[in-house]
Structure formats: C-alpha cells, structure tokens
Amino acid sequence: MLFHIRMDVQLPPSLSAGEAAELKAVEKARSQELQQQGKWRHLWRIGGQYSNISIFDVESVDELHTLVSTLPLFPYMKIEVLPLCRHPSSIRDDDR
Amino acid sequence: MLFHIRMDVQLPPSLSAGEAAELKAVEKARSQELQQQGKWRHLWRIGGQYSNISIFDVESVDELHTLVSTLPLFPYMKIEVLPLCRHPSSIRDDDR
Amino acid sequence: MLFHIRMDVQLPPSLSAGEAAELKAVEKARSQELQQQGKWRHLWRIGGQYSNISIFDVESVDELHTLVSTLPLFPYMKIEVLPLCRHPSSIRDDDR
Amino acid sequence: MLFHIRMDVQLPPSLSAGEAAELKAVEKARSQELQQQGKWRHLWRIGGQYSNISIFDVESVDELHTLVSTLPLFPYMKIEVLPLCRHPSSIRDDDR
Amino acid sequence: MLFHIRMDVQLPPSLSAGEAAELKAVEKARSQELQQQGKWRHLWRIGGQYSNISIFDVESVDELHTLVSTLPLFPYMKIEVLPLCRHPSSIRDDDR
Amino acid sequence: MLFHIRMDVQLPPSLSAGEAAELKAVEKARSQELQQQGKWRHLWRIGGQYSNISIFDVESVDELHTLVSTLPLFPYMKIEVLPLCRHPSSIRDDDR
Amino acid sequence: MLFHIRMDVQLPPSLSAGEAAELKAVEKARSQELQQQGKWRHLWRIGGQYSNISIFDVESVDELHTLVSTLPLFPYMKIEVLPLCRHPSSIRDDDR
Amino acid sequence: MLFHIRMDVQLPPSLSAGEAAELKAVEKARSQELQQQGKWRHLWRIGGQYSNISIFDVESVDELHTLVSTLPLFPYMKIEVLPLCRHPSSIRDDDR
Amino acid sequence: MLFHIRMDVQLPPSLSAGEAAELKAVEKARSQELQQQGKWRHLWRIGGQYSNISIFDVESVDELHTLVSTLPLFPYMKIEVLPLCRHPSSIRDDDR
Amino acid sequence: MLFHIRMDVQLPPSLSAGEAAELKAVEKARSQELQQQGKWRHLWRIGGQYSNISIFDVESVDELHTLVSTLPLFPYMKIEVLPLCRHPSSIRDDDR
C-alpha cells in the first residue's frame, strides 16, 4: 500500500548546531534502514528547499504512522500524506 | 532530470459525455506512449480524487513543457511542478 | 482500513432540477448500499452546509477510489481524504 | 449532539521532554475518562501527523467548550470544530 | 443554542433579473418569518459586501441545518458556521 | 455604529502562568466595564477555541481602535474587523 | 469616516462587449458624481490589474453600503473593506 | 523602472478554438513588438503551466498599466505585479 | 510615483517594553520627517489592528525601498506593496 | 537551464546584530561569486520587502540545490522555485 508524503523541515533557532547534526545523523541512518527494508520506496529532495518527496510502501496506516512519527525530525516537520492507488492509464500493474 | 507533477482534473460542465470520453481515450494513449518511452516514469492516482501524482524524466524544462502542455486534458488541469534531485540520505545513486 | 472523507457538493447552475433530483436519488441508493455492506461506516451532514463527513472502511486505497469515484455526484464534489489509524489514547482496539 | 473536531498538536521547542511527557500522560488519562463517559465518542490518529479526528457527543456547546478547553494540551493545539447532524442518506437514525 | 453564520451570496450570471428578484423576495419573507419566531436572532449586512452575519438560536444542529438549507438562496451561498457559547467574561448569563 | 470583531488569542510560551492570569484578570475587568457602558454589545466564546465573536457599538472608528488596542491581550490576539449595517431583510430598525 | 476599499473586477465571459461598455460608462459617471460630492475621496488603479484602491468618506456604514452596493459593477466585483482611523504618527489631524 | 509580472492564463470554455487562436496570434505579435522596443525585457514560460514570468522596463506605473491592460489576453489572465529595484549584492549597477 | 503599502506590525515577545518604546519613538519621528517631505503622503491606522495603510510618493522603486527598509520597525513588519496609477474614472489628473 | 527563485528572508529575533551582519557579509560574497560565474544570472530586490527575485542558470537540479542550500541565509529563507523554459512568443532563442 503506497503513500505519498511531503516533508518540510523547519529546525527551531534554539537547536544548537551539534544537536541538529546529531538529529540528522540518526534520521539518515533510520531512513536508510527503512529504504533497505523496502518500506521507504523513494526519497527525493525538492530542488532548492529543505523538503523531500517520499513514497512509502506499508501494510497499513498504523505501520505508516509508526514509521513516520518515530523519525527523529518528526517534531520539526510539516507533513502532508496522500494515499496512492493504481492509475487506470498506468502501463504497470504494480508501480512502486 | 526528474520533475514531480500533481495534476488535478476539472472538466467543465459544458463538455458532453462523448467529448469527455474521447479526450480521456487520447490522453490515455498519449500517457502510455510516454510511459513506454520512459519519459513518464511513474503515474499514480490519488485515492478518492480526480488527480494524479506523476514523475517525469526529461532532458530539459523545454521538453517537460512540450510533453505536458500537449496533453489533451491540459486545458482542464490545475498543475503543480516541483524539480527533484538526489536526496543525501537516499540509498540509491539514481532513484527513478 | 479507515479513511476520513469530507465531501463538499457544488452543483453547476446548468444542471436542471430534474437532473439534480435523479442524481441525488441514485447517490442516496448507492450510499445506502455501501452503508449496508459496512464499507461506508459513518455518514454525517455538516450543519448548515451542503457537505458531509464520512468514514470509509475498505480493504485498500484502490477499493476506496473505486467506491468514491463511481458515486453519481463525484464530478460535482470537492473531496479531501485523510488516512486514519488507532490513536494511542483510544480506549478501543478497533474503533469504527 | 455531535461535534467533529480536528486537533493539530504543536509543542513549543521550549517545553522540556519531561514536561511534555507529563502533559501527554495527563491528557491521555483525561481523554480516556471522557471516552468512558461516552462524551468523546471517537478518537482517531491521522496517519503520519501529530493530529487527531474526534467526535464529541455533548449536551451543549458550553459543555463541549468546557471539555475541550480544559485538556492539558489545549494551549498547544490548533482546533477546528464542525457541528454534525443526521445525513438524509444515512441508514441510521442515530449514528454515533 | 446559538450559532454564528456568515453567508456570502454569489448569484450565477445565468440567473435572469426576474428569477433573482423572485428568489430574493421569497428569501426575505422566509427570513422575516424566522426572525419573528426568534430562530434567526440577529441579521446584519456586512458593509460593502453581498454578505451577512447572522445569529441563529435553535434546539439542535438538525434544526439549524433544516432552517439554513431550505433558504431559497442556499444553493448560491458560501456558508461558514461557528457554534457559540457563553464567554466567561460576559456580563450576561444568556446573551442572545 | 456596529463592528463585528473576531479575536483569536495566542499567548506566547514565554509568558508565565502568573503573568497570564494577571493579564486575563485585567482583560476581564476591562471587558465587563465596556459591556456595562454598552460599548461592547455582545461577547460570545467560539465553542472549542480560545477565540471570541464580539459586537462593538461605538461612535467612530477612532473610538473602536482606542477600545480594542488598549485591551491587555491586544498584543497576543489576531483580530479581524467587519463593519456592520442594517440588513434590508431585518425586522428590526436598530438591531443591536 | 473613512473606509479603504479594494475592488477587483471580474466580468463574466457571457457578458457581451456592448453590455460591458454600457455598464462601465454608467459606473464611470456614478463614480465621478460621488467623487464630486466628496464621498469617494480617492480612486487609484492598481498597476497591471483590473482592480482599484478607493478611499470613501461617509457618514455611516449604511451610507457606505448604499453607495457601494448600487454601483453597476457591484455584482462583478470582489470587494474588501477596511475601516480607517487617525494614525498616532500622522502629522495631520484629519488626513483625507 | 523594472516590474516583475506573473501571468496565469485561463481561457473560458465558451471561447471557440478559432477565437482563441486569433487572440493568441494578436497577443504574440503585440508581445514581440514590446520586446523589440525594449519594454518587455524578459519573457519566460513556467515549465508545465500556461503561465509566464515577465520583466517589464517602463517609465512609469501608468505606462506599465497601459501596456499590460491592452494585451488581448488581459481579460483571461490572473496577474501579479512586483516592483523591482537594485539588490545591494548585485554585481551590476543596472541589471535588466 | 505612488505606491500603496500595508504594514502589519508584530513585535516579538522577547522585545522588552523599553526597547519597544524606543523603537516606536524613532519610528514615529522618522515617519513624520518623511510626511513633512511629502514622501509619505498618507498614513492611516486600520481600525482595531496594529496595522497601517500608507501611500508613498517617490521618484523610483529604489527610493521606495530605501525609505521603507530603513524604518526601525521594518524587521518586525509584514509588508505588502502595490504600484498605483491614475484611474480612468478619476476626476483628478494627479490624485495624491 | 533556468530556474526562477523567490527568497523571503526572516531572521529570528534571537540572532544578534553581529551574527546577522556576519551572515549577510558571507552571503553577499558568495552571491557575487556565483554571479561572476554566471550561475546566478539576475538578482533583484523586491521593492519594500526583505525578499529577492533571482534567476539561476545551472546544469541540473542537483547543482541548483547545492548552490541554494549552502547559502548562509538558507535556514532563514522561505524559498519558492519555478523551472523556466523558452516562451513561444519570445524574440530570443536563449533569453538569459
């Protein structure tokens, strides 16, 4: 089951450079682990912005929420979620 | 070069059912041709809406514009374009 | 799998009273059929507006899209979809 | 009398982890008490967001306001309220 | 039970002057009937706009919806509803 | 001369509980004084929100501004002002 | 009593060129009459847009509404009204 | 004097293909005339949209308005105007 | 050359009362100097808001920017600028 | 490949005057270096706002992102990116 997520990161000025670097390192490791597992199917940067477009492939909305809400940067992100399904004009039966 | 496009279709009430059906058939054929060529990399329906999320893979913005603006439904779509690039946390060098 | 949907209906002025009445009658019958099947779990009117709040219980996003996009009033509705999951403070394991 | 409420939580960066944990624990206890009493009929998490969709069942707007405005997280929530009533296509006389 | 309603009227260009005049006459009569009954407590014009601010006093959201949705101009109005209750700083126990 | 005002209060996290309580107490006293004088004709709480709907009855825009801008919570409120006048369908000559 | 008004004109495509020309001619005459009377104090075009910024000087909100709502283009304008008063830093007692 | 203009074109469905083609041809000729004169300094298409970004170089706001408001597509465009000036970090004294 | 400016002031909570008072005093003096010079033609308070509507009369956009961006409150203001020109229905050749 | 970027700067109140001055100096130097290289083709100030309009000329979205995201003020800017291409009415083959 695919979900399209846009994440816009906004770190608060009160966060020190060290704290930010640590958060980002943990975020990166976690993100790569989920990509390896095939849960986080695509991850693109939006050019010129501290934002990404992601495609998640999960078993349920509960799993989606658990994965996203435990990301280290979750408290500092504006998140928009769209459920995706097969488009009738797609040439693929299972476009992931 | 990847671009993320959201298309929201809004057919005018003055369009007859026959005209709409014809437009959609041509749109579908054209869309599948572009998918076969690898230009239109992904095409997903947003669940519950007459909208799609698409990933285009083109040589230039000029090519992108030519492909999108000649779609039969172009006059009836609200379109939002985002340029994409590699995310530093991606596990892929070339995620398409 | 639960989805929260808000539907705002806006009939075009060009629709005759007779056409509108017929569309609404078919919509009502279809809606009640889906409620009987347990697919359309809740259906509330928003007070003072030609809008509703609905909870759908479906197997997949594909099923959700099929059910919603074949409603007779679909072309005349602005639709917003939110995926729902269990809230950690809920006293129910399976709140539907 | 039913009200549909969307709550989006945004904790300020100045709140310590301990203060946040305490607020959430009290919020959870209070929320479960109101659910046990049947006042807070439904409570769902919106997938991927620190937000919920709730259905309240109260005697009056005054009661609604008292319940909502005394929640521990009230100062940190953006809240939207919609009054609900029976939908003419509902198969239930009293859908709660 | 008080509800605050803002109504913005937008008549479609396809409505003839005669049809508009008739709609407005019926709307006025109905509005005055509801004011006489005490259901439509206040009715103000917003200066410079084809809009009004209204206070309704009803038994339930169902009654509110019935009254508002049967107004002749209902199909041509954008409507926003806010539930009202006693303000703790009000000097009146029952401000209507 | 009537003005419709919506006030949304947002206290900054840096304000201590004591400071907030004092501000609110002075605000309440001042608000009740203006209500006694008939300047602040109506004051309603919007259910579930830290917001109010108010009707002011003043001699001029200058008086309105003086009254509103000297409220203790003025620096912490988002304020929207609408000038009101008699609605042609009102059954009252002077609805206050 | 001064009011600041922004008017954005949007003529419907169904209006013929002749009808539009006639509406504009009557609008211009009426506008100049109100300027001569000192009621319509300033009238500026916003560069590049079919919009104006106006300052009205009236006795009451009722007079303002009567003047604005009887303009021939009123049904085709989006209108925003702001009440103005003396600014404490103004060097004029009565800036009109 | 430079102005930045974004124009979004939205042709009404009631316009025939022939009328649209004629409007666009006249628009193109007029646009190229203004470019030749150096008034319309830059003209870019926004990729994937029926929109452009333009830089105008004019003597006054009056001249800007005359040029823009007499374009054949003016009635069908949403227009946003921003006045530009020299940026203190620019390496050019007169960037056009 | 006239420009219409709306300024909405939002002082940060971290600013002390003394700092704010000093900023406002310098702002007032500077504003009155510009009014005396005829650069700041009109200055009105928007009733009930910490906002003003201003008309500037300058030689160029560069001059406008220099005047506005050196105001002491500039860092704390949301600013919207509209270029103005003569309205064809104005009875004045040079309405300032 | 051209991209149109609007940058709105919002420095946090917690930044000291010295830190801000240093950030701006480094930003200016970096900006001029990119202008010298022809990467940052145009740079204009929007009159009256702490904002700029920029045209970037880059090889890819990746290069665009690298250039923009390493600007010293990047964490304090709201950024909007639009891909540009040749306009069919342009008199230039390669308008930069």
Side-chain angles (χ1 to χ4, degrees):
Chain A
M1 197 160 63
L2 298 183
F3 288 89
H4 173 281
I5 305 188
R6 176 180 174 150
M7 307 181 191
D8 297 285
V9 186
Q10 181 65 53
L11 300 181
S14 60
L15 208 69
S16 76
E19 291 168 316
E22 195 175 308
L23 272 177
K24 290 178 196 177
V26 182
E27 176 94 9
K28 183 175 187 170
R30 179 63 179 141
S31 155
Q32 297 195 329
E33 185 181 9
L34 293 174
Q35 290 177 72
Q36 298 289 1
Q37 295 170 10
K39 302 288 189 190
W40 196 326
R41 280 292 299 146
H42 296 283
L43 170 58
W44 295 291
R45 175 64 79 210
I46 302 178
Q49 302 198 267
Y50 195 178
S51 305
N52 72 64
I53 296 287
S54 294
I55 308 291
F56 275 73
D57 187 359
V58 293
E59 294 301 307
S60 65
V61 181
D62 286 274
E63 186 186 10
L64 175 79
H65 187 73
T66 301
L67 298 185
V68 172
S69 67
T70 56
L71 291 172
L73 292 176
F74 181 71
Y76 311 119
M77 296 196 291
K78 185 167 146 282
I79 291 177
E80 186 197 31
V81 178
L82 296 172
L84 297 180
C85 60
R86 194 181 174 277
H87 192 286
S89 298
S90 176
I91 59 171
R92 291 182 189 86
D93 273 348
D94 187 20
D95 182 0
R96 287 163 197 268
Chain B
M1 200 160 62
L2 298 183
F3 289 90
H4 173 281
I5 304 187
R6 176 179 173 150
M7 307 180 190
D8 297 285
V9 187
Q10 181 66 52
L11 300 180
S14 60
L15 209 68
S16 76
E19 292 168 316
E22 196 175 308
L23 273 176
K24 289 179 198 177
V26 183
E27 175 94 9
K28 183 175 187 170
R30 178 64 179 141
S31 154
Q32 296 195 330
E33 186 182 7
L34 294 173
Q35 290 177 72
Q36 298 289 1
Q37 296 171 9
K39 302 288 189 192
W40 196 326
R41 280 292 298 147
H42 296 283
L43 170 58
W44 294 291
R45 175 65 79 211
I46 302 178
Q49 301 197 271
Y50 194 178
S51 305
N52 71 62
I53 295 288
S54 292
I55 307 291
F56 275 73
D57 187 358
V58 293
E59 294 301 307
S60 66
V61 181
D62 286 274
E63 185 185 10
L64 176 78
H65 188 71
T66 301
L67 298 185
V68 172
S69 66
T70 55
L71 291 173
L73 292 176
F74 180 70
Y76 311 119
M77 295 195 291
K78 186 167 145 280
I79 290 177
E80 187 197 29
V81 178
L82 297 172
L84 296 181
C85 60
R86 192 179 177 279
H87 192 286
S89 298
S90 177
I91 58 171
R92 293 184 187 84
D93 274 346
D94 187 21
D95 183 0
R96 288 162 199 267
Chain C
M1 198 160 63
L2 297 183
F3 289 90
H4 174 280
I5 304 187
R6 176 179 173 150
M7 307 180 190
D8 296 286
V9 186
Q10 182 66 51
L11 300 180
S14 60
L15 208 70
S16 76
E19 291 167 317
E22 195 174 309
L23 273 176
K24 290 179 197 176
V26 182
E27 176 94 9
K28 183 174 186 169
R30 179 63 178 142
S31 154
Q32 296 195 329
E33 186 182 8
L34 293 174
Q35 291 177 71
Q36 298 290 0
Q37 295 170 10
K39 302 288 188 190
W40 197 325
R41 279 293 297 145
H42 296 283
L43 169 59
W44 294 291
R45 175 65 79 210
I46 302 177
Q49 302 197 270
Y50 194 0
S51 306
N52 72 64
I53 295 288
S54 293
I55 308 291
F56 275 73
D57 188 358
V58 293
E59 294 300 308
S60 66
V61 181
D62 286 275
E63 184 185 10
L64 176 78
H65 187 72
T66 301
L67 297 185
V68 171
S69 67
T70 54
L71 291 173
L73 291 176
F74 181 71
Y76 311 119
M77 296 196 290
K78 185 166 146 282
I79 290 177
E80 188 196 30
V81 178
L82 296 172
L84 297 181
C85 60
R86 194 180 175 276
H87 192 286
S89 297
S90 176
I91 58 171
R92 292 183 188 86
D93 275 345
D94 187 21
D95 182 0
R96 290 163 196 266
Chain D
M1 198 160 61
L2 297 183
F3 288 90
H4 173 281
I5 304 187
R6 176 179 173 151
M7 307 181 191
D8 297 286
V9 186
Q10 182 65 53
L11 299 180
S14 60
L15 208 70
S16 76
E19 291 168 317
E22 194 174 310
L23 273 177
K24 290 178 196 177
V26 182
E27 176 94 8
K28 182 175 187 170
R30 178 64 178 140
S31 155
Q32 296 195 330
E33 185 181 8
L34 293 174
Q35 290 177 71
Q36 298 290 2
Q37 295 170 11
K39 302 287 188 190
W40 197 325
R41 280 292 298 145
H42 296 283
L43 170 58
W44 294 291
R45 175 65 80 210
I46 301 178
Q49 303 197 268
Y50 195 179
S51 305
N52 71 63
I53 296 287
S54 293
I55 307 290
F56 275 73
D57 187 358
V58 293
E59 295 300 308
S60 66
V61 181
D62 286 275
E63 185 185 11
L64 176 78
H65 188 73
T66 301
L67 298 184
V68 172
S69 66
T70 56
L71 292 172
L73 292 176
F74 180 72
Y76 311 118
M77 295 196 290
K78 184 166 146 284
I79 291 176
E80 187 196 31
V81 178
L82 296 172
L84 297 180
C85 59
R86 194 180 175 277
H87 192 285
S89 298
S90 175
I91 58 171
R92 291 184 189 85
D93 274 346
D94 187 21
D95 183 0
R96 289 162 197 266
Chain E
M1 197 160 62
L2 297 183
F3 289 90
H4 173 281
I5 304 187
R6 176 179 173 150
M7 306 181 192
D8 296 286
V9 186
Q10 182 66 52
L11 300 180
S14 59
L15 208 69
S16 75
E19 291 168 318
E22 195 175 308
L23 273 177
K24 290 179 197 176
V26 182
E27 175 94 8
K28 182 174 187 170
R30 178 64 178 142
S31 155
Q32 296 195 330
E33 186 182 6
L34 293 174
Q35 290 177 71
Q36 298 290 0
Q37 295 170 11
K39 302 287 189 191
W40 197 325
R41 279 293 297 146
H42 296 283
L43 170 58
W44 294 291
R45 175 65 79 209
I46 301 178
Q49 302 197 270
Y50 195 178
S51 305
N52 71 63
I53 295 288
S54 293
I55 307 291
F56 275 72
D57 187 358
V58 293
E59 294 300 308
S60 66
V61 181
D62 286 275
E63 185 185 11
L64 176 77
H65 188 72
T66 301
L67 298 184
V68 172
S69 66
T70 55
L71 291 173
L73 292 176
F74 181 71
Y76 311 119
M77 295 196 291
K78 185 166 146 282
I79 290 176
E80 187 197 30
V81 178
L82 297 172
L84 297 180
C85 61
R86 194 180 175 276
H87 192 285
S89 298
S90 175
I91 58 172
R92 290 184 189 86
D93 274 348
D94 187 21
D95 183 0
R96 289 163 197 266
Chain F
M1 198 161 62
L2 297 183
F3 288 90
H4 173 281
I5 304 187
R6 176 179 173 150
M7 307 181 191
D8 296 286
V9 186
Q10 182 66 52
L11 299 180
S14 60
L15 208 70
S16 76
E19 291 167 317
E22 195 174 308
L23 273 175
K24 290 180 198 177
V26 182
E27 175 94 8
K28 183 174 188 170
R30 178 64 178 142
S31 154
Q32 296 195 329
E33 185 182 8
L34 293 173
Q35 290 177 71
Q36 298 290 0
Q37 295 169 11
K39 302 287 189 192
W40 197 326
R41 279 292 297 146
H42 296 283
L43 169 59
W44 294 291
R45 174 65 79 212
I46 302 178
Q49 302 198 269
Y50 195 178
S51 306
N52 72 63
I53 295 288
S54 293
I55 307 291
F56 276 73
D57 187 358
V58 293
E59 294 300 309
S60 67
V61 180
D62 286 274
E63 184 184 11
L64 176 78
H65 188 72
T66 301
L67 298 185
V68 172
S69 66
T70 55
L71 291 174
L73 292 176
F74 181 71
Y76 311 119
M77 295 196 291
K78 185 166 146 283
I79 290 177
E80 187 196 30
V81 178
L82 297 172
L84 297 181
C85 61
R86 194 180 175 277
H87 192 287
S89 298
S90 176
I91 58 171
R92 292 184 187 84
D93 275 346
D94 187 20
D95 182 0
R96 290 163 197 267
Chain G
M1 196 160 64
L2 297 183
F3 288 90
H4 173 282
I5 304 189
R6 175 179 174 151
M7 307 181 191
D8 297 285
V9 186
Q10 181 65 53
L11 300 180
S14 60
L15 208 69
S16 76
E19 291 168 316
E22 195 175 308
L23 273 177
K24 290 178 196 177
V26 182
E27 176 93 9
K28 183 175 188 170
R30 179 62 179 143
S31 155
Q32 296 195 330
E33 186 181 9
L34 293 174
Q35 290 176 72
Q36 298 289 2
Q37 295 170 11
K39 301 287 189 192
W40 197 325
R41 281 291 299 145
H42 296 283
L43 170 59
W44 295 291
R45 175 65 79 208
I46 301 178
Q49 302 198 267
Y50 195 177
S51 305
N52 72 64
I53 295 288
S54 294
I55 307 291
F56 275 73
D57 187 358
V58 293
E59 294 302 307
S60 66
V61 181
D62 286 275
E63 185 186 10
L64 176 78
H65 188 73
T66 301
L67 298 185
V68 172
S69 67
T70 55
L71 291 172
L73 292 176
F74 181 71
Y76 310 119
M77 296 196 291
K78 185 167 145 281
I79 291 176
E80 187 197 31
V81 178
L82 297 172
L84 298 180
C85 60
R86 193 179 176 277
H87 192 286
S89 298
S90 177
I91 59 172
R92 292 183 188 85
D93 274 347
D94 187 20
D95 182 0
R96 287 164 199 267
Chain H
M1 198 160 63
L2 298 183
F3 288 91
H4 173 282
I5 304 189
R6 176 181 173 149
M7 306 181 191
D8 297 286
V9 186
Q10 182 65 54
L11 300 180
S14 60
L15 208 69
S16 77
E19 292 168 316
E22 196 175 307
L23 273 176
K24 289 180 197 176
V26 183
E27 175 94 9
K28 183 175 187 170
R30 178 65 178 142
S31 155
Q32 296 195 331
E33 186 181 8
L34 293 174
Q35 290 176 72
Q36 298 290 2
Q37 296 170 11
K39 303 286 190 192
W40 196 326
R41 280 291 298 146
H42 296 283
L43 170 58
W44 295 291
R45 174 65 78 209
I46 302 178
Q49 301 197 269
Y50 195 178
S51 305
N52 71 63
I53 295 289
S54 294
I55 307 292
F56 276 74
D57 187 358
V58 293
E59 294 301 307
S60 65
V61 181
D62 286 275
E63 185 185 11
L64 175 78
H65 188 71
T66 301
L67 298 185
V68 172
S69 67
T70 55
L71 291 173
L73 291 177
F74 181 71
Y76 310 118
M77 295 197 290
K78 187 168 145 280
I79 291 177
E80 186 197 31
V81 178
L82 297 172
L84 297 181
C85 60
R86 192 179 176 278
H87 192 286
S89 298
S90 177
I91 58 171
R92 294 184 187 84
D93 273 347
D94 188 20
D95 182 1
R96 287 162 199 269
Chain I
M1 199 160 63
L2 298 183
F3 288 90
H4 174 281
I5 304 188
R6 177 180 173 149
M7 307 180 190
D8 297 286
V9 187
Q10 182 65 53
L11 300 179
S14 60
L15 209 69
S16 76
E19 292 168 316
E22 196 175 307
L23 273 176
K24 290 180 198 176
V26 182
E27 175 94 9
K28 183 175 188 170
R30 179 63 179 143
S31 154
Q32 295 195 330
E33 186 181 7
L34 293 173
Q35 290 177 72
Q36 297 289 1
Q37 296 170 11
K39 302 288 189 192
W40 197 326
R41 280 291 298 146
H42 296 283
L43 170 58
W44 294 291
R45 175 65 79 211
I46 302 178
Q49 301 196 270
Y50 195 179
S51 305
N52 72 62
I53 295 288
S54 292
I55 307 291
F56 275 73
D57 187 358
V58 293
E59 293 301 308
S60 66
V61 181
D62 286 274
E63 185 185 10
L64 176 78
H65 188 72
T66 301
L67 298 185
V68 172
S69 67
T70 56
L71 291 173
L73 292 176
F74 180 71
Y76 310 119
M77 295 196 291
K78 187 168 144 279
I79 291 177
E80 187 197 30
V81 178
L82 297 172
L84 297 181
C85 60
R86 192 178 177 279
H87 192 287
S89 298
S90 177
I91 58 171
R92 293 183 187 85
D93 274 347
D94 188 20
D95 183 0
R96 288 160 198 269
Chain J
M1 198 161 62
L2 298 183
F3 288 90
H4 173 282
I5 304 189
R6 176 180 174 150
M7 306 180 191
D8 297 285
V9 187
Q10 181 65 53
L11 299 180
S14 60
L15 209 68
S16 77
E19 292 168 316
E22 195 175 307
L23 273 176
K24 290 179 197 177
V26 182
E27 176 94 9
K28 183 175 187 170
R30 178 64 179 142
S31 155
Q32 296 195 329
E33 186 182 7
L34 293 174
Q35 290 176 71
Q36 298 290 1
Q37 295 170 10
K39 302 287 189 192
W40 197 326
R41 280 291 299 145
H42 296 283
L43 170 57
W44 295 291
R45 175 65 78 210
I46 303 178
Q49 301 197 269
Y50 196 178
S51 305
N52 72 64
I53 295 289
S54 294
I55 307 291
F56 276 73
D57 187 358
V58 293
E59 293 301 307
S60 65
V61 181
D62 286 275
E63 185 186 11
L64 176 79
H65 188 72
T66 301
L67 298 185
V68 172
S69 67
T70 56
L71 291 173
L73 292 176
F74 180 72
Y76 311 118
M77 295 196 290
K78 186 168 146 279
I79 291 177
E80 186 197 30
V81 178
L82 297 172
L84 297 181
C85 60
R86 192 179 177 277
H87 192 285
S89 298
S90 177
I91 58 171
R92 292 183 188 85
D93 273 347
D94 188 20
D95 182 0
R96 287 161 199 269

